[in-house]
Amino acid sequence: MLSDKDIASDALDMMKHSTAGTLKACLESSNPKLRQTLMQLVTEGEKSQFQMFELAAERQWYLPASQAGQEEIQRIKEFYATPTPV
């Protein structure tokens, strides 16, 4: 029998994969109305996933990574903002 922790972990995993798949479909769509609809679904999926994450973290079923400091955040921003040579 699955525990509440197992169910929450599976739900988080399914939500992440579903949202990632919807985002991929959006990025590959050429129809503006479809893209808009898919992005709304991505946003809703992200919100639902975060709510599940908060519940799991609150009940100590999920241990999130430690928070990044300002220096680390800035380093990552700069890394992704720098164009990659082709």
Side-chain angles (χ1 to χ4, degrees), residues 6-49:
D6 293 331
I7 294 168
S9 178
D10 286 348
L12 274 171
D13 194 44
M14 286 188 297
M15 291 169 149
K16 286 187 264 188
H17 286 287
S18 174
T19 301
T22 304
L23 178 60
K24 183 177 180 184
C26 174
L27 294 172
E28 294 177 358
S29 175
S30 61
N31 181 308
K33 287 185 180 184
L34 178 58
R35 287 178 71 100
Q36 182 180 15
T37 299
L38 291 170
M39 275 310 298
Q40 288 171 347
L41 292 173
V42 167
T43 300
E44 290 171 16
E46 182 275 330
K47 287 178 183 177
S48 295
Q49 188 276 337

mmCIF file of all heavy atoms in Angstrom, residues 6-49:
data_model
loop_
_atom_site.group_PDB
_atom_site.id
_atom_site.type_symbol
_atom_site.label_atom_id
_atom_site.label_comp_id
_atom_site.label_asym_id
_atom_site.label_seq_id
_atom_site.Cartn_x
_atom_site.Cartn_y
_atom_site.Cartn_z
ATOM 1 N N ASP A 6 4.425 8.691 -0.598
ATOM 2 C CA ASP A 6 4.586 8.109 -1.932
ATOM 3 C C ASP A 6 3.609 8.721 -2.932
ATOM 4 O O ASP A 6 3.973 9.033 -4.065
ATOM 5 C CB ASP A 6 4.376 6.595 -1.897
ATOM 6 C CG ASP A 6 5.441 5.857 -1.115
ATOM 7 O OD1 ASP A 6 6.597 6.346 -1.055
ATOM 8 O OD2 ASP A 6 5.114 4.790 -0.555
ATOM 9 N N ILE A 7 2.377 8.898 -2.503
ATOM 10 C CA ILE A 7 1.352 9.473 -3.372
ATOM 11 C C ILE A 7 1.707 10.911 -3.730
ATOM 12 O O ILE A 7 1.614 11.309 -4.892
ATOM 13 C CB ILE A 7 -0.039 9.381 -2.710
ATOM 14 C CG1 ILE A 7 -0.457 7.918 -2.585
ATOM 15 C CG2 ILE A 7 -1.071 10.187 -3.505
ATOM 16 C CD1 ILE A 7 -1.667 7.681 -1.710
ATOM 17 N N ALA A 8 2.142 11.689 -2.743
ATOM 18 C CA ALA A 8 2.535 13.079 -2.998
ATOM 19 C C ALA A 8 3.727 13.143 -3.940
ATOM 20 O O ALA A 8 3.760 13.975 -4.857
ATOM 21 C CB ALA A 8 2.850 13.791 -1.682
ATOM 22 N N SER A 9 4.688 12.250 -3.744
ATOM 23 C CA SER A 9 5.868 12.224 -4.607
ATOM 24 C C SER A 9 5.483 11.874 -6.046
ATOM 25 O O SER A 9 5.955 12.509 -7.000
ATOM 26 C CB SER A 9 6.879 11.216 -4.063
ATOM 27 O OG SER A 9 8.006 11.150 -4.899
ATOM 28 N N ASP A 10 4.620 10.889 -6.207
ATOM 29 C CA ASP A 10 4.149 10.509 -7.542
ATOM 30 C C ASP A 10 3.359 11.652 -8.185
ATOM 31 O O ASP A 10 3.508 11.921 -9.379
ATOM 32 C CB ASP A 10 3.280 9.255 -7.482
ATOM 33 C CG ASP A 10 4.081 7.985 -7.252
ATOM 34 O OD1 ASP A 10 5.327 8.030 -7.358
ATOM 35 O OD2 ASP A 10 3.453 6.940 -6.963
ATOM 36 N N ALA A 11 2.516 12.307 -7.391
ATOM 37 C CA ALA A 11 1.728 13.426 -7.915
ATOM 38 C C ALA A 11 2.640 14.564 -8.374
ATOM 39 O O ALA A 11 2.436 15.130 -9.457
ATOM 40 C CB ALA A 11 0.742 13.928 -6.857
ATOM 41 N N LEU A 12 3.648 14.889 -7.575
ATOM 42 C CA LEU A 12 4.607 15.936 -7.965
ATOM 43 C C LEU A 12 5.304 15.570 -9.267
ATOM 44 O O LEU A 12 5.438 16.405 -10.168
ATOM 45 C CB LEU A 12 5.656 16.133 -6.865
ATOM 46 C CG LEU A 12 5.306 17.091 -5.748
ATOM 47 C CD1 LEU A 12 6.344 16.996 -4.631
ATOM 48 C CD2 LEU A 12 5.220 18.509 -6.255
ATOM 49 N N ASP A 13 5.727 14.330 -9.375
ATOM 50 C CA ASP A 13 6.428 13.870 -10.576
ATOM 51 C C ASP A 13 5.514 13.955 -11.802
ATOM 52 O O ASP A 13 5.910 14.456 -12.859
ATOM 53 C CB ASP A 13 6.928 12.446 -10.370
ATOM 54 C CG ASP A 13 7.929 12.028 -11.419
ATOM 55 O OD1 ASP A 13 8.829 12.838 -11.740
ATOM 56 O OD2 ASP A 13 7.821 10.895 -11.916
ATOM 57 N N MET A 14 4.279 13.492 -11.662
ATOM 58 C CA MET A 14 3.332 13.537 -12.781
ATOM 59 C C MET A 14 3.024 14.979 -13.183
ATOM 60 O O MET A 14 2.933 15.285 -14.375
ATOM 61 C CB MET A 14 2.047 12.805 -12.415
ATOM 62 C CG MET A 14 2.200 11.300 -12.397
ATOM 63 S SD MET A 14 0.648 10.385 -12.178
ATOM 64 C CE MET A 14 0.117 10.924 -10.566
ATOM 65 N N MET A 15 2.870 15.853 -12.198
ATOM 66 C CA MET A 15 2.576 17.257 -12.489
ATOM 67 C C MET A 15 3.728 17.918 -13.241
ATOM 68 O O MET A 15 3.515 18.673 -14.188
ATOM 69 C CB MET A 15 2.278 18.022 -11.200
ATOM 70 C CG MET A 15 0.992 17.636 -10.539
ATOM 71 S SD MET A 15 0.907 18.360 -8.883
ATOM 72 C CE MET A 15 -0.841 18.595 -8.729
ATOM 73 N N LYS A 16 4.958 17.627 -12.820
ATOM 74 C CA LYS A 16 6.127 18.194 -13.493
ATOM 75 C C LYS A 16 6.203 17.710 -14.941
ATOM 76 O O LYS A 16 6.424 18.506 -15.862
ATOM 77 C CB LYS A 16 7.415 17.843 -12.748
ATOM 78 C CG LYS A 16 7.596 18.632 -11.465
ATOM 79 C CD LYS A 16 8.960 18.380 -10.861
ATOM 80 C CE LYS A 16 8.877 17.315 -9.824
ATOM 81 N NZ LYS A 16 10.126 17.138 -9.059
ATOM 82 N N HIS A 17 6.018 16.413 -15.149
ATOM 83 C CA HIS A 17 6.101 15.867 -16.502
ATOM 84 C C HIS A 17 4.969 16.385 -17.387
ATOM 85 O O HIS A 17 5.184 16.694 -18.564
ATOM 86 C CB HIS A 17 6.107 14.339 -16.466
ATOM 87 C CG HIS A 17 7.401 13.766 -16.009
ATOM 88 N ND1 HIS A 17 8.536 13.772 -16.782
ATOM 89 C CD2 HIS A 17 7.749 13.196 -14.835
ATOM 90 C CE1 HIS A 17 9.529 13.220 -16.114
ATOM 91 N NE2 HIS A 17 9.078 12.861 -14.923
ATOM 92 N N SER A 18 3.782 16.477 -16.833
ATOM 93 C CA SER A 18 2.634 16.974 -17.595
ATOM 94 C C SER A 18 2.845 18.428 -18.019
ATOM 95 O O SER A 18 2.616 18.789 -19.184
ATOM 96 C CB SER A 18 1.362 16.849 -16.754
ATOM 97 O OG SER A 18 0.275 17.437 -17.415
ATOM 98 N N THR A 19 3.298 19.256 -17.088
ATOM 99 C CA THR A 19 3.527 20.666 -17.394
ATOM 100 C C THR A 19 4.654 20.818 -18.412
ATOM 101 O O THR A 19 4.552 21.627 -19.345
ATOM 102 C CB THR A 19 3.833 21.457 -16.104
ATOM 103 O OG1 THR A 19 2.717 21.306 -15.212
ATOM 104 C CG2 THR A 19 4.038 22.932 -16.385
ATOM 105 N N ALA A 20 5.703 20.028 -18.266
ATOM 106 C CA ALA A 20 6.813 20.086 -19.229
ATOM 107 C C ALA A 20 6.341 19.665 -20.622
ATOM 108 O O ALA A 20 6.714 20.285 -21.624
ATOM 109 C CB ALA A 20 7.961 19.199 -18.762
ATOM 110 N N GLY A 21 5.496 18.653 -20.703
ATOM 111 C CA GLY A 21 4.964 18.213 -21.990
ATOM 112 C C GLY A 21 4.076 19.260 -22.631
ATOM 113 O O GLY A 21 4.120 19.480 -23.846
ATOM 114 N N THR A 22 3.266 19.916 -21.807
ATOM 115 C CA THR A 22 2.396 20.972 -22.317
ATOM 116 C C THR A 22 3.226 22.146 -22.817
ATOM 117 O O THR A 22 2.935 22.724 -23.868
ATOM 118 C CB THR A 22 1.402 21.434 -21.230
ATOM 119 O OG1 THR A 22 0.667 20.300 -20.753
ATOM 120 C CG2 THR A 22 0.421 22.461 -21.767
ATOM 121 N N LEU A 23 4.286 22.504 -22.091
ATOM 122 C CA LEU A 23 5.167 23.582 -22.532
ATOM 123 C C LEU A 23 5.827 23.222 -23.857
ATOM 124 O O LEU A 23 5.907 24.055 -24.767
ATOM 125 C CB LEU A 23 6.226 23.885 -21.469
ATOM 126 C CG LEU A 23 7.239 24.960 -21.849
ATOM 127 C CD1 LEU A 23 6.560 26.294 -22.143
ATOM 128 C CD2 LEU A 23 8.266 25.116 -20.747
ATOM 129 N N LYS A 24 6.263 21.983 -23.990
ATOM 130 C CA LYS A 24 6.894 21.558 -25.245
ATOM 131 C C LYS A 24 5.902 21.672 -26.402
ATOM 132 O O LYS A 24 6.254 22.153 -27.482
ATOM 133 C CB LYS A 24 7.415 20.126 -25.121
ATOM 134 C CG LYS A 24 8.139 19.659 -26.356
ATOM 135 C CD LYS A 24 8.706 18.267 -26.187
ATOM 136 C CE LYS A 24 9.423 17.857 -27.464
ATOM 137 N NZ LYS A 24 9.911 16.497 -27.397
ATOM 138 N N ALA A 25 4.668 21.251 -26.182
ATOM 139 C CA ALA A 25 3.647 21.366 -27.223
ATOM 140 C C ALA A 25 3.423 22.827 -27.596
ATOM 141 O O ALA A 25 3.295 23.171 -28.772
ATOM 142 C CB ALA A 25 2.340 20.729 -26.757
ATOM 143 N N CYS A 26 3.418 23.696 -26.599
ATOM 144 C CA CYS A 26 3.246 25.126 -26.848
ATOM 145 C C CYS A 26 4.381 25.668 -27.710
ATOM 146 O O CYS A 26 4.153 26.387 -28.686
ATOM 147 C CB CYS A 26 3.171 25.880 -25.523
ATOM 148 S SG CYS A 26 3.128 27.667 -25.705
ATOM 149 N N LEU A 27 5.597 25.309 -27.349
ATOM 150 C CA LEU A 27 6.763 25.808 -28.076
ATOM 151 C C LEU A 27 6.803 25.312 -29.517
ATOM 152 O O LEU A 27 7.378 25.965 -30.392
ATOM 153 C CB LEU A 27 8.046 25.407 -27.346
ATOM 154 C CG LEU A 27 8.242 26.050 -25.972
ATOM 155 C CD1 LEU A 27 9.435 25.414 -25.275
ATOM 156 C CD2 LEU A 27 8.408 27.550 -26.084
ATOM 157 N N GLU A 28 6.185 24.178 -29.766
ATOM 158 C CA GLU A 28 6.195 23.606 -31.104
ATOM 159 C C GLU A 28 4.977 23.995 -31.939
ATOM 160 O O GLU A 28 4.898 23.657 -33.114
ATOM 161 C CB GLU A 28 6.319 22.084 -31.011
ATOM 162 C CG GLU A 28 7.666 21.664 -30.446
ATOM 163 C CD GLU A 28 7.806 20.166 -30.269
ATOM 164 O OE1 GLU A 28 6.840 19.419 -30.546
ATOM 165 O OE2 GLU A 28 8.891 19.738 -29.857
ATOM 166 N N SER A 29 4.037 24.700 -31.328
ATOM 167 C CA SER A 29 2.819 25.083 -32.040
ATOM 168 C C SER A 29 3.019 26.377 -32.826
ATOM 169 O O SER A 29 3.658 27.310 -32.363
ATOM 170 C CB SER A 29 1.680 25.272 -31.031
ATOM 171 O OG SER A 29 0.535 25.759 -31.698
ATOM 172 N N SER A 30 2.422 26.415 -34.013
ATOM 173 C CA SER A 30 2.489 27.635 -34.822
ATOM 174 C C SER A 30 1.177 28.415 -34.773
ATOM 175 O O SER A 30 1.087 29.520 -35.297
ATOM 176 C CB SER A 30 2.827 27.291 -36.275
ATOM 177 O OG SER A 30 1.822 26.463 -36.811
ATOM 178 N N ASN A 31 0.169 27.857 -34.125
ATOM 179 C CA ASN A 31 -1.138 28.502 -34.029
ATOM 180 C C ASN A 31 -1.174 29.391 -32.783
ATOM 181 O O ASN A 31 -1.082 28.888 -31.660
ATOM 182 C CB ASN A 31 -2.223 27.424 -33.951
ATOM 183 C CG ASN A 31 -3.619 27.996 -33.880
ATOM 184 O OD1 ASN A 31 -3.901 28.841 -33.046
ATOM 185 N ND2 ASN A 31 -4.480 27.497 -34.753
ATOM 186 N N PRO A 32 -1.303 30.719 -32.967
ATOM 187 C CA PRO A 32 -1.263 31.633 -31.814
ATOM 188 C C PRO A 32 -2.326 31.345 -30.752
ATOM 189 O O PRO A 32 -2.040 31.432 -29.550
ATOM 190 C CB PRO A 32 -1.473 33.015 -32.435
ATOM 191 C CG PRO A 32 -1.058 32.863 -33.862
ATOM 192 C CD PRO A 32 -1.396 31.448 -34.233
ATOM 193 N N LYS A 33 -3.542 30.993 -31.160
ATOM 194 C CA LYS A 33 -4.596 30.714 -30.170
ATOM 195 C C LYS A 33 -4.290 29.444 -29.386
ATOM 196 O O LYS A 33 -4.508 29.382 -28.178
ATOM 197 C CB LYS A 33 -5.956 30.620 -30.859
ATOM 198 C CG LYS A 33 -6.475 31.960 -31.315
ATOM 199 C CD LYS A 33 -7.871 31.853 -31.880
ATOM 200 C CE LYS A 33 -8.331 33.246 -32.311
ATOM 201 N NZ LYS A 33 -9.699 33.252 -32.786
ATOM 202 N N LEU A 34 -3.772 28.440 -30.091
ATOM 203 C CA LEU A 34 -3.391 27.200 -29.408
ATOM 204 C C LEU A 34 -2.240 27.464 -28.451
ATOM 205 O O LEU A 34 -2.235 26.981 -27.310
ATOM 206 C CB LEU A 34 -3.007 26.121 -30.420
ATOM 207 C CG LEU A 34 -2.546 24.784 -29.828
ATOM 208 C CD1 LEU A 34 -3.617 24.177 -28.933
ATOM 209 C CD2 LEU A 34 -2.173 23.823 -30.951
ATOM 210 N N ARG A 35 -1.254 28.248 -28.886
ATOM 211 C CA ARG A 35 -0.114 28.592 -28.009
ATOM 212 C C ARG A 35 -0.611 29.286 -26.742
ATOM 213 O O ARG A 35 -0.157 28.986 -25.643
ATOM 214 C CB ARG A 35 0.880 29.493 -28.733
ATOM 215 C CG ARG A 35 1.711 28.783 -29.785
ATOM 216 C CD ARG A 35 2.650 29.748 -30.497
ATOM 217 N NE ARG A 35 3.721 30.174 -29.614
ATOM 218 C CZ ARG A 35 4.950 29.670 -29.631
ATOM 219 N NH1 ARG A 35 5.267 28.722 -30.487
ATOM 220 N NH2 ARG A 35 5.863 30.113 -28.789
ATOM 221 N N GLN A 36 -1.543 30.222 -26.904
ATOM 222 C CA GLN A 36 -2.082 30.954 -25.749
ATOM 223 C C GLN A 36 -2.786 29.992 -24.784
ATOM 224 O O GLN A 36 -2.584 30.057 -23.564
ATOM 225 C CB GLN A 36 -3.045 32.039 -26.220
ATOM 226 C CG GLN A 36 -3.609 32.866 -25.086
ATOM 227 C CD GLN A 36 -4.568 33.948 -25.579
ATOM 228 O OE1 GLN A 36 -5.021 33.925 -26.717
ATOM 229 N NE2 GLN A 36 -4.857 34.893 -24.715
ATOM 230 N N THR A 37 -3.592 29.098 -25.336
ATOM 231 C CA THR A 37 -4.303 28.125 -24.498
ATOM 232 C C THR A 37 -3.323 27.213 -23.767
ATOM 233 O O THR A 37 -3.464 26.961 -22.562
ATOM 234 C CB THR A 37 -5.259 27.283 -25.363
ATOM 235 O OG1 THR A 37 -6.214 28.164 -25.967
ATOM 236 C CG2 THR A 37 -5.977 26.228 -24.536
ATOM 237 N N LEU A 38 -2.323 26.737 -24.496
ATOM 238 C CA LEU A 38 -1.328 25.860 -23.876
ATOM 239 C C LEU A 38 -0.541 26.588 -22.795
ATOM 240 O O LEU A 38 -0.242 26.007 -21.739
ATOM 241 C CB LEU A 38 -0.394 25.274 -24.939
ATOM 242 C CG LEU A 38 -1.042 24.259 -25.889
ATOM 243 C CD1 LEU A 38 -0.106 23.932 -27.040
ATOM 244 C CD2 LEU A 38 -1.462 23.002 -25.148
ATOM 245 N N MET A 39 -0.215 27.856 -23.009
ATOM 246 C CA MET A 39 0.516 28.613 -21.980
ATOM 247 C C MET A 39 -0.339 28.808 -20.736
ATOM 248 O O MET A 39 0.171 28.791 -19.617
ATOM 249 C CB MET A 39 0.992 29.965 -22.520
ATOM 250 C CG MET A 39 2.309 29.887 -23.263
ATOM 251 S SD MET A 39 3.641 29.005 -22.384
ATOM 252 C CE MET A 39 3.859 29.995 -20.924
ATOM 253 N N GLN A 40 -1.648 28.974 -20.921
ATOM 254 C CA GLN A 40 -2.543 29.063 -19.760
ATOM 255 C C GLN A 40 -2.518 27.751 -18.980
ATOM 256 O O GLN A 40 -2.484 27.748 -17.744
ATOM 257 C CB GLN A 40 -3.966 29.396 -20.207
ATOM 258 C CG GLN A 40 -4.126 30.824 -20.685
ATOM 259 C CD GLN A 40 -5.480 31.088 -21.324
ATOM 260 O OE1 GLN A 40 -6.231 30.165 -21.633
ATOM 261 N NE2 GLN A 40 -5.794 32.364 -21.518
ATOM 262 N N LEU A 41 -2.503 26.633 -19.710
ATOM 263 C CA LEU A 41 -2.425 25.328 -19.051
ATOM 264 C C LEU A 41 -1.089 25.147 -18.333
ATOM 265 O O LEU A 41 -1.038 24.567 -17.245
ATOM 266 C CB LEU A 41 -2.648 24.209 -20.066
ATOM 267 C CG LEU A 41 -4.053 24.110 -20.649
ATOM 268 C CD1 LEU A 41 -4.096 23.084 -21.771
ATOM 269 C CD2 LEU A 41 -5.061 23.773 -19.567
ATOM 270 N N VAL A 42 -0.013 25.643 -18.926
ATOM 271 C CA VAL A 42 1.308 25.573 -18.285
ATOM 272 C C VAL A 42 1.279 26.359 -16.973
ATOM 273 O O VAL A 42 1.749 25.883 -15.933
ATOM 274 C CB VAL A 42 2.422 26.099 -19.221
ATOM 275 C CG1 VAL A 42 3.725 26.317 -18.461
ATOM 276 C CG2 VAL A 42 2.636 25.141 -20.374
ATOM 277 N N THR A 43 0.712 27.554 -17.022
ATOM 278 C CA THR A 43 0.640 28.396 -15.820
ATOM 279 C C THR A 43 -0.197 27.722 -14.732
ATOM 280 O O THR A 43 0.205 27.682 -13.562
ATOM 281 C CB THR A 43 0.053 29.779 -16.167
ATOM 282 O OG1 THR A 43 0.903 30.395 -17.137
ATOM 283 C CG2 THR A 43 -0.050 30.670 -14.942
ATOM 284 N N GLU A 44 -1.333 27.166 -15.110
ATOM 285 C CA GLU A 44 -2.178 26.461 -14.140
ATOM 286 C C GLU A 44 -1.455 25.230 -13.581
ATOM 287 O O GLU A 44 -1.538 24.957 -12.380
ATOM 288 C CB GLU A 44 -3.491 26.041 -14.796
ATOM 289 C CG GLU A 44 -4.406 27.208 -15.119
ATOM 290 C CD GLU A 44 -5.602 26.795 -15.968
ATOM 291 O OE1 GLU A 44 -5.899 25.574 -16.060
ATOM 292 O OE2 GLU A 44 -6.244 27.690 -16.542
ATOM 293 N N GLY A 45 -0.750 24.505 -14.441
ATOM 294 C CA GLY A 45 -0.008 23.330 -13.996
ATOM 295 C C GLY A 45 1.101 23.702 -13.028
ATOM 296 O O GLY A 45 1.324 23.008 -12.029
ATOM 297 N N GLU A 46 1.780 24.799 -13.310
ATOM 298 C CA GLU A 46 2.858 25.263 -12.420
ATOM 299 C C GLU A 46 2.294 25.636 -11.056
ATOM 300 O O GLU A 46 2.870 25.299 -10.024
ATOM 301 C CB GLU A 46 3.584 26.446 -13.064
ATOM 302 C CG GLU A 46 4.738 26.983 -12.259
ATOM 303 C CD GLU A 46 4.332 28.002 -11.208
ATOM 304 O OE1 GLU A 46 3.352 28.720 -11.410
ATOM 305 O OE2 GLU A 46 5.006 28.054 -10.155
ATOM 306 N N LYS A 47 1.153 26.307 -11.046
ATOM 307 C CA LYS A 47 0.535 26.701 -9.767
ATOM 308 C C LYS A 47 0.117 25.466 -8.964
ATOM 309 O O LYS A 47 0.351 25.393 -7.753
ATOM 310 C CB LYS A 47 -0.670 27.600 -10.019
ATOM 311 C CG LYS A 47 -0.308 28.993 -10.463
ATOM 312 C CD LYS A 47 -1.558 29.828 -10.738
ATOM 313 C CE LYS A 47 -1.190 31.199 -11.263
ATOM 314 N NZ LYS A 47 -2.368 31.998 -11.613
ATOM 315 N N SER A 48 -0.481 24.498 -9.639
ATOM 316 C CA SER A 48 -0.901 23.264 -8.955
ATOM 317 C C SER A 48 0.300 22.496 -8.419
ATOM 318 O O SER A 48 0.277 21.990 -7.290
ATOM 319 C CB SER A 48 -1.691 22.369 -9.916
ATOM 320 O OG SER A 48 -2.887 22.982 -10.296
ATOM 321 N N GLN A 49 1.343 22.415 -9.235
ATOM 322 C CA GLN A 49 2.552 21.706 -8.803
ATOM 323 C C GLN A 49 3.156 22.384 -7.587
ATOM 324 O O GLN A 49 3.576 21.724 -6.644
ATOM 325 C CB GLN A 49 3.559 21.640 -9.959
ATOM 326 C CG GLN A 49 4.769 20.773 -9.677
ATOM 327 C CD GLN A 49 5.875 21.477 -8.907
ATOM 328 O OE1 GLN A 49 5.984 22.696 -8.906
ATOM 329 N NE2 GLN A 49 6.691 20.700 -8.238
#
